[in-house]
């Protein structure tokens, strides 16, 4: 099957860190733009970060800028989201998505992604 699989979620204390992974199965991520998103119950999906296939300067939402870092390792067919200084408001299900186009407009509903992962739960609580 062609799919993305997220992993690395869990329960952490405020101020703690997690590293999420997004790994492709059945296809290569080399030529795909990868975005990270999250959704809390009752809230709209929020775009967090994006990295182009070219590996240029990544994009970050204001809510996570300075705390989260996106990176990719094409040899492992994986994109990572390093999350530091986590806050309770970061609690959500986190998703990755792969798209053909650049990160411009990555968080817009108009950006049609080819693949979505099923999500991994991140809970920030003491």
């Amino acid at each position: 099957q062609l799919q993305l699989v997220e992993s690395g979620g869990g329960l952490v204390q405020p101020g703690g860190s997690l590293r999420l992974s997004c790994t492709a199965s059945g296809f290569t991520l080399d030529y795909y733009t990868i975005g990270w998103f999250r959704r809390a119950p009752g809230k709209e999906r929020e775009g967090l970060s994006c990295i182009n296939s070219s590996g240029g300067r990544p994009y970050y939402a204001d809510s996570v800028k300075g705390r989260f870092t996106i990176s990719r390792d094409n040899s492992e067919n994986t994109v990572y989201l390093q999350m530091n200084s986590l806050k309770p408001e970061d609690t959500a299900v986190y998703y990755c998505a792969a798209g053909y186009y650049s990160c411009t407009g990555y968080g817009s509903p108009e950006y049609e992604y080819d693949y979505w992962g099923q999500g991994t739960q991140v809970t920030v609580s003491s």
Side-chain angles (χ1 to χ4, degrees), residues 6-23:
E6 302 96 338
S7 62
L11 193 154
V12 296
Q13 294 182 328
S17 298
L18 283 175
R19 189 189 192 192
L20 305 183
S21 298
C22 174
T23 300

Side-chain angles (χ1 to χ4, degrees), residues 86-101:
L86 286 164
K87 307 173 182 179
E89 52 262 44
D90 294 320
T91 297
V93 178
Y94 284 68
Y95 301 88
C96 63
Y100 182 77
Y101 303 104

Side-chain angles (χ1 to χ4, degrees), residues 29-106:
L29 291 180
D30 290 19
Y31 306 109
Y32 283 92
T33 293
I34 304 297
W36 279 100
F37 303 82
R38 68 186 179 190
R39 191 177 190 275
K43 297 184 178 180
E44 295 293 320
R45 185 184 69 198
E46 179 186 11
L48 302 176
S49 185
C50 184
I51 187 167
N52 289 307
S53 60
S54 62
R57 183 163 59 96
Y59 291 67
Y60 297 100
D62 290 341
S63 59
V64 305
K65 189 174 297 183
R67 299 188 298 123
F68 291 11
T69 302
I70 191 171
S71 62
R72 66 190 304 153
D73 185 347
N74 287 345
S75 68
E76 297 294 330
N77 217 24
T78 298
V79 174
Y80 303 97
L81 185 68
Q82 177 67 46
M83 307 187 298
N84 299 325
S85 302
L86 286 164
K87 307 173 182 179
E89 52 262 44
D90 294 320
T91 297
V93 178
Y94 284 68
Y95 301 88
C96 63
Y100 182 77
Y101 303 104
S102 76
C103 286
T104 302
Y106 80 98

